[in-house]
Amino acid sequence: MPLLVAAAFGLGGCASRSPLTPAYSDKDGPEAIIPPNLQQVPNALPQLEPIRKGGPNKPYEVLGQRYEPITEDKPLSERGLASWYGKKFHGRSTSSGEIYNMYAMTAAHPTMPIPSYARVRNPSNGREVLVRINDRGPFHSTRIIDLSYTAALKLDILRGVTPVEVERITFEDIRTGAWRRGSGDEIAPLGDAPVFAAAQPVGAPQPDSIKTLAPTVPVVTSPRHAAPGFWVQMGAYAKLDGAEQFRQKLLVELDWMAPLLAVFKDGGLHRLQAGPFSSRDDARQAAERVKHALNMNALVVERR
């Protein structure tokens, strides 16, 4: 099978180098021995991870081109060319500081917040993958994303740069489970539509008072459903105002929790919860952090 070499990598992914390092010119490609069953590697599982302040999200310049990474939780949809990077960068540090694994479901993007999750689709065959953005690149005017070897394999784009569609998965998509829809991993309705969802981006300047935060919080009016998983409940209130006031207090005092918070109307009560967490242990650890910071008990609940 013909495989991509220097043409797709000359200005490709930037694992093991900072954005200020000149692009590599020597060849990249697959390893001599490829692990079996890579088609069965699961997609990246979107999780609520705070957008990092500074570091890989600071403005930078490569080959005379200035890049301004997005530092807020914003949607992003693009169409363009995708390439992939392989053994030359395998085992070396990415722009995020993580180690690049060409067999994991990751990707590099020039401006998407790090970390982020994205859906990548090959329109020529309809295949889709979910990847975690943990690196910067590709630094080429016609390319929009550099994929890991496995992600490229699953999309069937190993033979060369290929047109793709890229869509960032937002915090709201993760909180509500909307990222699963349309990907063959549907969620059964749970019957408790969220009333409010936290929208203050992690990394944004924190407000001086609770009052200044209120105008930035949108009302979620669409009939979405809570994602399955483990949630930490901070309280249940008869009136929405009570839940919203305490939610705003948490946004100020526990900024790490900002992308996790939502208020759900359930059984006549407005439940302030944070999640979803992938395991009960992760939820318990978050509940312990809340207890330590605010001297209050939080309840771990599971949504199926």
Side-chain angles (χ1 to χ4, degrees), residues 265-296:
K265 186 175 181 180
D266 179 24
L269 294 175
H270 297 86
R271 302 181 186 276
L272 176 60
Q273 298 181 346
F277 295 91
S278 58
S279 71
R280 188 178 296 275
D281 283 344
D282 288 344
R284 284 174 176 167
Q285 291 179 20
E288 284 298 317
R289 291 183 67 181
V290 173
K291 181 178 181 180
H292 178 75
L294 301 179
N295 193 28
M296 60 164 285

Side-chain angles (χ1 to χ4, degrees), residues 145-162:
I145 195 167
D146 249 348
L147 299 166
S148 68
Y149 178 88
T150 299
L153 171 70
K154 295 180 72 171
L155 287 173
D156 191 24
I157 66 171
L158 287 177
R159 289 179 289 274
V161 290
T162 306

Side-chain angles (χ1 to χ4, degrees), residues 48 50-51 70-75 168 170-173 175-176 194-207 212-221 244 247-248 250-252 254-263 272-273 275:
L48 288 162
I51 296 172
I70 301 168
T71 57
E72 298 180 353
D73 176 36
K74 293 182 177 180
R168 181 174 180 267
T170 66
F171 290 162
E172 181 185 356
D173 293 334
R175 275 196 302 270
T176 63
V195 181
F196 280 77
Q200 182 72 2
V202 176
Q206 292 300 312
T212 62
L213 181 64
T216 70
V217 180
V219 178
V220 177
T221 57
E244 176 61 12
R247 186 181 70 83
Q248 292 189 8
L250 293 177
L251 289 176
V252 174
L254 299 177
D255 59 351
W256 61 270
M257 189 177 279
L260 304 170
L261 289 169
V263 177
L272 176 60
Q273 298 181 346

Side-chain angles (χ1 to χ4, degrees), residues 48-60:
L48 288 162
E49 300 184 65
I51 296 172
R52 291 176 56 177
K53 299 179 180 179
N57 291 322
K58 293 190 299 185
Y60 63 94

Side-chain angles (χ1 to χ4, degrees), residues 129-149:
V129 297
L130 300 178
V131 295
R132 184 172 182 271
I133 306 297
N134 68 350
D135 203 2
R136 289 290 175 223
F139 304 123
H140 192 287
S141 60
T142 63
R143 302 176 198 163
I144 60 173
I145 195 167
D146 249 348
L147 299 166
S148 68
Y149 178 88

